[in-house]
Every structure is written in C-alpha cells, then in structure tokens.
Amino acid sequence: MKLFFGKIEHDTAILNEEESHHFAKVLRGNEGDLIHVTDGKGNLAKVEINAISKKAVEGKIIELKTDFEKKNYYLHVAIAPTKTMERLEFFLEKATEIGIDEITFLQTFHSERKNIKIERIEKIVQAATKQSLKAYLPKVNDLTKFNDFIKSDFEGFTKCIAHCEADIERIPFQNILKENPQHILIMIGPEGDFSREEILSAEEHQFKGISLGHQRFRTETAALQAVFAVDWSLK
C-alpha cells in the first residue's frame, strides 16, 4: 500500500505539494493509479488519481475509513533531546511506528542540547507514520522549558516523571498502567537525569515519580521502554 499525506474533503483527496511532487516526479505516477491518502487525523482513503498538475495531485475517494486503527489510549512523551541527534531520531522513528500521539522536547537543567531542528523532526515522524501505514500523525511540540511545561494544563492525564533518585519515592510504571489510564504523560530526562529540584517541583505539580526498571537506561532507551510498556499493557 502506497500511503501519502493530503487533504480529505467530501469525495476528493488532494496531496500536499511535497507529496504531489513525490507521486508525480519521483514515483512517476499516472492518472488512474490507486493510492491511499491520510490526513493524519485518523482518516484513511483509497483514492483513484484523476488530476496531476505542477502544484497538486488530486483523486476521487473510492473508500474511506475513519478512526483507522485508533488506539484506546493517548500517549504523550516529553523528552530531553540527546546530544547526538541520531539517537533522538532513532527514538522518534521507532516510537512513531509502535504508537505515540504527542512528543514534546524538554529543556532541563542537565540538558545536553539547547536547540533542535523542528522541521527535520517533523519529517522523520511523517516518514515513520507512512512507513508503518498509520492514519494518525503524532503531534510534535518544540523545545519547552521544564518549569513552563510542568505548569501546563494536562487535565485528565496521568502525569509521570521517570527518574533515578533512589531516595525520592518512585512507583513501578507497570503499577501505574494497571490502573488502565486513558491519557498518559511521561517525562524522560537527559543523560544526567532530572535535577532533584526538578523532580520535587514536578511532584508539587501532581507528577508521579516512576521507575522503568532496575537498569539505568540511556535517554532514548528509557523513552522507548515507556512506549513499549504502554503499548503492551493498554492496547
């Protein structure tokens, strides 16, 4: 199945400019070809191409599936970007393939990276969404200061912060998941972990300290461990 991003309106699908170029110039697609189009919001359409121009490729919707393979949970991971971008990009790709709904990048006290290229990250997430044939495109949020993030309104979410401070109470993440939460937010810190002040401040804002196991994981491994745990427990 060839999957493209585009706009779905009534009985018509219109590929965006980048996807139109890929279909017409790279794949050398033609009128009459059958493809699948998603708007990234859960709609998946089977489309017969009927118009190709320099700016857009359009087609008639033959079949439309709504809420395609919608999960019964919403997972938001907030992660401190790793110093090596390849490691962060690996996490983004795999987390998208497994199933994640929203990603926020955190600027913390021990952060190794102070900036990110959000456009590149969005492209990686889009490519992973297409590769895994998903109809929901994860939301990507730019770098946010830790203190601003924990003060945000996350009503209805079970809020967690993964940390390694043994003398600050931590609950096994699996215990949290046994409660079958529908909206989960988990913060993953940098290689140097969150500072004590950050952990205590997060708890003051109703974040639960959690443990992902006895091992000490790299940042991207800890984040993937959390994604796997949620997918395995709640799907």
Side-chain angles (χ1 to χ4, degrees), residues 143-156:
L143 200 62
T144 304
K145 292 182 179 179
F146 178 90
N147 288 333
D148 292 337
F149 183 79
I150 62 173
K151 295 175 184 176
S152 301
D153 181 14
F154 296 111
E155 184 177 355

Side-chain angles (χ1 to χ4, degrees), residues 37-212:
V37 178
T38 180
D39 57 4
K41 301 176 182 178
N43 295 308
L44 180 68
K46 186 176 182 180
V47 177
E48 181 179 357
I49 300 301
N50 56 23
I52 300 175
S53 67
K54 291 182 178 180
K55 292 187 177 181
V57 171
E58 298 184 23
K60 179 181 179 180
I61 295 176
I62 299 174
E63 181 183 1
L64 178 63
K65 296 179 180 179
T66 59
D67 296 329
F68 179 71
E69 295 188 352
K70 183 178 182 180
K71 306 190 306 298
N72 58 355
Y73 64 84
Y74 187 99
L75 175 59
H76 182 173
V77 173
I79 181 172
T82 53
K83 184 176 181 180
T84 304
M85 281 302 297
E86 286 80 2
R87 287 165 48 198
L88 180 64
E89 292 172 3
F90 176 83
F91 160 71
L92 293 168
E93 180 182 273
K94 301 311 173 188
T96 300
E97 292 177 4
I98 298 164
I100 191 171
D101 300 282
E102 188 169 355
I103 304 157
T104 298
F105 299 99
L106 293 177
Q107 184 177 342
T108 70
F109 183 78
H110 292 133
S111 284
E112 300 175 288
R113 177 173 289 274
K114 304 298 183 182
N115 55 72
I116 56 173
K117 295 181 179 179
I118 195 71
E119 296 83 4
R120 174 173 173 77
I121 287 169
E122 289 174 340
K123 288 184 177 181
I124 290 170
V125 171
Q126 288 173 9
T129 300
K130 291 169 61 176
Q131 172 66 31
S132 53
L133 303 178
K134 295 184 180 295
Y136 287 93
L137 178 66
K139 181 181 180 183
V140 178
N141 302 312
D142 210 340
L143 200 62
T144 304
K145 292 182 179 179
F146 178 90
N147 288 333
D148 292 337
F149 183 79
I150 62 173
K151 295 175 184 176
S152 301
D153 181 14
F154 296 111
E155 184 177 355
F157 276 81
T158 296
K159 303 187 296 184
C160 304
I161 177 170
H163 66 81
C164 300
E165 288 286 349
D167 61 338
I168 300 179
E169 183 180 7
R170 296 179 295 164
I171 305 169
F173 191 38
Q174 287 295 344
N175 290 2
I176 298 288
L177 297 177
K178 287 178 182 178
E179 300 174 4
N180 197 32
Q182 299 302 300
H183 292 78
I184 311 105
L185 167 60
I186 180 168
M187 291 196 295
I188 304 293
E191 293 300 317
D193 202 2
F194 294 108
S195 68
R196 289 184 63 88
E197 291 76 12
E198 287 172 332
I199 296 168
L200 295 174
S201 182
E203 291 186 346
E204 289 177 2
H205 287 83
Q206 288 73 57
F207 280 81
K208 299 178 181 180
I210 61 108
S211 168
L212 294 172

